[in-house]
Amino acid sequence: MIVAIDGPAGAGKSTVARRLAERLGFGYLDTGAMYRALTWLAMQRSLPLGDGAPLGELAAANPVTFDDSGRVWIADTDVTSSIRESRIDRQVPVVAGHPAVRAVMRERQRELGQQGDVVIEGRDIGTVVAPDAEVKVYLNADSGVRARRRQVERPDIGGDALVTDLRRRDQSDAVRMRPATDAEQIDTTELDVEDVVTRIERLVQERLAASRR
């Protein structure tokens, strides 16, 4: 089974997806980490981030992998911590915006999603990467709440800078940040993580029960 969780930055996708995967005993796939890993590698190799073709080739030649501990690898390098640096934050939207990059990454995400029961989170999972996912969820929240959540996650970035970053990312992701027509939409503004996880877990259990009939 594939559980697709989409939504903008700060909506709670990563935390919710990780907790849900733990509860269900599913794998967890953070697609955003894949774009971050590619951005890190491109910067290490001093490639121009505005040119999509060589970045697509770089992605194809260096598929991102996740080990059993959930750590992120690219080009035989553990980049789990490095990809969370603020310099990566600023450049990820540029790299992820290239069609050549997205084509390679989406194919890789589909490959990883076929390796068993998995929770996949990102921005176009239910609409493009896994349109046949058995459960689709779209998380959203008030922009101010999203900014505060990001501040907790990234205390190294100032509040004003985070608000600006969120606005820029929302604009660049506008085409992809839309729920699938059959997605369950959840506003997480006033919900805690466990409440959201419980709601999605219920959807999964209902789908599993229906499939057994």
Side-chain angles (χ1 to χ4, degrees):
M1 170 180 280
I2 293 178
V3 180
I5 300 181
D6 290 303
K13 298 189 307 297
S14 297
T15 303
V16 167
R18 191 178 295 109
R19 298 269 185 91
L20 179 67
E22 290 173 355
R23 277 202 200 179
L24 297 171
F26 282 20
Y28 164 60
L29 177 55
D30 176 358
T31 62
M34 298 174 70
Y35 289 102
R36 286 175 173 274
L38 179 63
T39 301
W40 176 88
L41 184 61
M43 293 175 72
Q44 286 292 109
R45 298 187 179 181
S46 300
L47 292 181
L49 303 187
D51 191 349
L55 292 176
E57 293 172 1
L58 184 69
N62 298 275
V64 178
T65 61
F66 297 83
D67 64 22
D68 292 338
S69 299
R71 301 191 70 78
V72 188
W73 293 76
I74 191 169
D76 297 320
T77 305
D78 179 353
V79 296
T80 309
S81 298
S82 302
I83 62 175
R84 301 301 171 182
E85 297 173 359
S86 57
R87 68 189 184 99
I88 303 298
D89 284 345
R90 290 190 292 270
Q91 300 301 333
V92 166
V94 178
V95 173
H98 295 300
V101 169
R102 299 201 68 79
V104 173
M105 286 299 193
R106 285 166 173 164
E107 187 57 35
R108 178 59 176 158
Q109 289 156 14
R110 292 184 185 108
E111 290 175 2
L112 294 172
Q114 293 171 357
Q115 295 179 5
D117 294 330
V118 63
V119 179
I120 309 178
E121 59 103 340
R123 285 174 173 75
D124 56 3
I125 309 305
T127 54
V128 178
V129 175
D132 296 326
E134 289 86 347
V135 175
K136 301 177 187 178
V137 178
Y138 188 90
L139 303 183
N140 209 342
D142 174 80
S143 59
V145 170
R146 292 197 288 123
R148 287 195 293 275
R149 289 173 179 168
R150 292 287 286 173
Q151 182 73 68
V152 172
E153 296 172 357
R154 302 303 310 275
D156 56 314
I157 304 177
D160 291 342
L162 269 176
V163 171
T164 300
D165 176 64
L166 279 176
R167 186 180 301 115
R168 184 175 65 248
R169 293 182 69 177
D170 285 354
Q171 290 172 346
S172 67
D173 292 336
V175 174
R176 290 176 284 124
M177 281 200 313
R178 55 188 175 84
T181 56
D182 54 346
E184 177 81 7
Q185 298 188 49
I186 302 175
D187 187 328
T188 67
T189 302
E190 298 182 359
L191 298 176
D192 64 29
V193 171
E194 294 306 318
D195 288 336
V196 179
V197 172
T198 296
R199 285 185 59 173
I200 303 174
E201 182 182 23
R202 190 177 301 122
L203 292 173
V204 172
Q205 297 300 347
E206 289 173 355
R207 180 53 62 90
L208 287 172
S211 68
R212 298 190 189 105
R213 292 178 190 146

